[in-house]
Amino acid sequence: MSEPHSSLPNVDAALFTAPRIDRLLPTSRASHPPRFLLLYGSLRERSYSRLLSEEAARLLQAMGGETRLFDPTGLPLPDGAPESHAKVVELRELAAWCEGMVWCSPERHGAMSAILKAQIDWIPLSLGAVRPTQGKTLAVMQVSGGSQSFNAVNQLRVLGRWMRMLTIPNQSSVAKAFLEFDEAGRMKPSAYYDRVVDVMEELIKFTLLTRDATPHLVDRYSERKETAEALSQRVNQRSI
């Protein structure tokens, strides 16, 4: 059997670096409560995705987190209004503020709701030098009117990956959601409720583990190379 080729990879050695444990486990850690934005996908007066999100927010707060629940009422369709629209500005500011998110959608026609998708579509991958979602944690949940399904959470996972988020392994899918909440809108004790506790607990853990190392986690060779090439072009243009 031949020996593996010993030469260096075909990369720019000045930009190619090995991951470092000291940057993944920094000694200096943030002390403020972890910050979470919760998005839900229904405008109904008794919205079960909103009620489930409110229950998740209570759990996150009880575990030491700080939460904000975005009300999508009045948010225009993507590209249906300027980016200066008040609801768009509010959503983007919250996306920049948080360190983790919870997305909760009803399942409609076997998919996530358009209301939740519109919120995600209004959050760009980058705002100038700021990346509102990259490297932040994400938990996904769904509510169903019938038997348990995972169509919405599966789609949300695809979106979370597209938005470059760290989507945690656990998830919640609440079947026949109309049976799981009391008249006051509180979720009743059940195996479904226990799963929500598990998901929020896991979200807190992943957020505490990763938030201080996010700059190192999302630092990519291809982007360093792209930045270096753009800088070189600007320098060359000035010298002409």
Side-chain angles (χ1 to χ4, degrees):
M1 185 173 180
S2 61
E3 290 294 323
H5 201 279
S6 59
S7 65
L8 291 174
N10 189 18
V11 295
D12 186 333
L15 301 173
F16 183 73
T17 60
R20 289 169 44 184
I21 191 66
D22 60 318
R23 294 184 64 187
L24 289 169
L25 299 172
T27 56
S28 177
R29 292 189 171 272
S31 59
H32 65 269
R35 301 189 293 253
F36 299 99
L37 170 62
L38 296 95
L39 305 179
Y40 59 91
S42 170
L43 300 180
R44 295 170 59 190
E45 183 176 352
R46 187 171 171 83
S47 163
Y48 293 107
S49 62
R50 174 176 56 80
L51 295 179
L52 184 57
S53 296
E54 290 174 348
E55 207 65 46
R58 292 186 186 98
L59 289 165
L60 290 170
Q61 291 166 14
M63 296 177 194
E66 184 179 356
T67 64
R68 297 287 186 274
L69 195 71
F70 178 73
D71 181 358
T73 303
L75 181 71
L77 289 173
D79 302 324
E83 295 178 358
S84 58
H85 189 284
K87 292 297 290 188
V88 176
V89 172
E90 177 189 356
L91 175 59
R92 290 184 172 186
E93 287 179 347
L94 287 172
W97 164 84
C98 72
E99 296 164 326
M101 294 191 193
V102 178
W103 295 349
C104 183
S105 178
E107 182 172 312
R108 289 186 175 171
H109 302 300
M112 76 177 76
S113 72
I115 292 168
L116 185 56
K117 182 62 162 58
Q119 294 172 72
I120 298 168
D121 285 348
W122 269 120
I123 304 173
L125 283 174
S126 62
L127 283 169
V130 178
R131 297 185 183 272
T133 56
Q134 181 168 286
K136 296 182 179 182
T137 53
L138 172 66
V140 295
M141 305 192 297
Q142 75 169 73
V143 292
S144 303
S147 58
Q148 191 174 42
S149 170
F150 300 94
N151 292 320
V153 288
N154 287 340
Q155 287 185 320
L156 291 172
R157 285 190 174 279
V158 172
L159 275 174
R161 183 171 68 248
W162 188 262
M163 302 299 282
R164 298 181 175 181
M165 303 185 75
L166 303 174
T167 308
I168 67 170
N170 215 338
Q171 63 187 24
S172 168
S173 173
V174 179
K176 295 183 179 179
F178 60 92
L179 297 177
E180 300 301 322
F181 294 84
D182 62 24
E183 290 301 314
R186 295 300 306 272
M187 193 173 185
K188 304 172 186 176
S190 67
Y192 289 134
Y193 184 85
D194 292 346
R195 172 59 68 90
V196 178
V197 178
D198 290 347
V199 173
M200 294 306 110
E201 185 178 53
E202 189 170 287
L203 179 62
I204 285 269
K205 291 175 180 177
F206 271 77
T207 305
L208 292 174
L209 277 172
T210 61
R211 66 175 180 176
D212 297 297
T214 296
H216 191 48
L217 287 170
V218 301
D219 183 34
R220 294 179 173 88
Y221 170 76
S222 61
E223 293 178 356
R224 294 195 299 272
K225 183 178 177 183
E226 182 180 334
T227 301
E229 290 172 349
L231 179 61
S232 177
Q233 288 178 359
R234 288 198 296 270
V235 171
N236 291 336
Q237 288 172 355
R238 291 196 199 101
S239 63
I240 294 175

